[in-house]
Amino acid sequence: MAYSDDTVLSKLSALNETQEGIVTAANWILFHRRMAKRTAELWLQRMKESTSHKKLNLIYLANEVVQQSKARKRQDFLTAFSPIIAEATEVAYRNSTPDIQNKIRRVIEVWRQRAIFEPDVQGSIEQRLDDVDKGKSSASSGATGRKPLLGGAFGGSFGGGGGSSAPLEFTPILNSHKGLMLKNSSATIAVSSAGSEYQKQFDSDTLPVAPVYAARLSSLLKTLDSAHIAVKGAIEARETHIRNLERLLSQNKASLEKDKNTLKDIVAKHQRTETTKQEVEIMILKGMDEPQNSQTNGGGGGAAGSSAEHDAASPKSPEVEALTPPGQPAYDNPRSSASTSVLPPQFHQGASELLASLAAPLSGVKREKRDEPEVFEGLDDDVADMFRNEQMGSPPKRSKIEEDDEYHP
């Protein structure tokens, strides 16, 4: 069957999920490998027009084609599918059922394990699928009022173009990396095509006629110019990406130096605080040892001095008034003379003899009234009359002052 667009589209539409159907269609496409670029374009067109189940069959077909091309070391279809494979897998993955999405993920994981595509192309494929998943999680979180999980799609690759989960400082790097992947993919395709054309024109044993050969060489020059432009664009994109990386690296180095200086300051403060703490503890220990040394080495004087210092330092207790009333004078209470130590009055010798005579028993003894000048000699007249009256049993003669006194003993 001759190759045509209609033939390719019809075969893609009739594709089924069986192993035989996938392998048969892949072998027919591989047979027309010179039309690899057009076949890839038609495959992407049919991918956008098909249902979810048909899209999965087209992914299986592309998988069979690229894996056989890799095994046969032919770059035609790998070069043709590389620029469009990321977009095609996103179209097939988006709005598909979870079962179909899991099957597509398994195919892409096989591509990674077997290194079917270049790392940049593989990263772009995975990033697009991560973006689809992140968009679903953001939509579901917005519907339920919950916030999306942090770092959902950032861990996969840098091709997302600065998603909301990425820090702001990574936004230039993400954008430059995305541009680098696109430029590098175009450059890879252009270089591969130019290399194939160059090999055809210069590695052939037979050369065509001169006019035909000149036309082919002109076409080769255009292909080489396209490859030159593509590679130059990839170089510029990579330089931009490197500048963004170096800028971020320099910022982090400056922050690192600042953190190191902060750490040094903290260490110095810690050491100073530790030293001061030790000095204060030594002062406390010395203050505790000094009173003990003064008591053991200072003797009685030291103890007296320390007790005096202690009495001076300690607050004095308030004075408490005595509970017993002060003693009354002896003349107010005659009975209190027995309990108080009052020195006896000093009498003359005659008074002493008189008092001694009074202590003798008077019963049965009748004394005559007689003058005893020797007994009362030296006494006042009133005192002498008092003693005489007591001896005679008559009351003493009271003076005018005593009669006016109110006290009655």
Side-chain angles (χ1 to χ4, degrees), residues 172-173 176 239-249:
I173 297 177
S176 61
E239 289 176 348
T240 302
H241 186 56
I242 290 174
R243 284 195 297 269
N244 292 332
L245 291 173
E246 289 178 346
R247 186 181 299 109
L248 180 61
L249 180 61

Side-chain angles (χ1 to χ4, degrees), residues 361-367:
L362 298 179
S363 60
V365 178
K366 185 175 180 181
R367 292 188 179 185

Side-chain angles (χ1 to χ4, degrees), residues 11-22 54 57 60:
K11 285 186 174 295
L12 296 178
S13 299
L15 189 65
N16 55 45
E17 195 177 355
T18 61
Q19 180 73 19
E20 182 180 358
I22 298 294
K54 289 290 185 180
N57 295 339
Y60 286 157

Side-chain angles (χ1 to χ4, degrees), residues 332-407:
D332 292 336
N333 188 3
R335 297 179 181 179
S336 63
S337 60
S339 59
T340 59
S341 61
V342 181
L343 296 175
Q346 299 292 331
F347 298 103
H348 295 87
Q349 184 178 3
S352 300
E353 294 177 356
L354 177 61
L355 293 176
S357 65
L358 291 176
L362 298 179
S363 60
V365 178
K366 185 175 180 181
R367 292 188 179 185
E368 296 180 357
K369 182 177 179 180
R370 59 176 181 173
D371 295 330
E372 295 177 354
E374 68 280 359
V375 177
F376 300 103
E377 182 179 2
L379 294 178
D380 188 67
D381 294 338
D382 293 335
V383 176
D385 293 340
M386 180 185 66
F387 285 114
R388 291 190 186 99
N389 293 332
E390 288 180 357
Q391 292 177 0
M392 297 301 293
S394 60
K397 183 179 179 180
R398 301 181 65 183
S399 64
K400 184 176 179 181
I401 298 176
E402 293 176 344
E403 291 177 356
D404 296 336
D405 194 2
E406 296 180 358
Y407 177 70

Side-chain angles (χ1 to χ4, degrees), residues 180-213:
L180 173 60
M181 286 195 301
L182 295 176
K183 294 290 185 179
N184 192 38
S185 178
S186 300
T188 302
I189 296 172
V191 170
S192 178
S193 177
S196 299
E197 292 295 329
Y198 184 85
Q199 185 177 4
K200 290 178 183 178
Q201 301 302 326
F202 288 95
D203 291 346
S204 178
D205 295 335
T206 59
L207 296 177
V209 295
V212 176
Y213 192 54

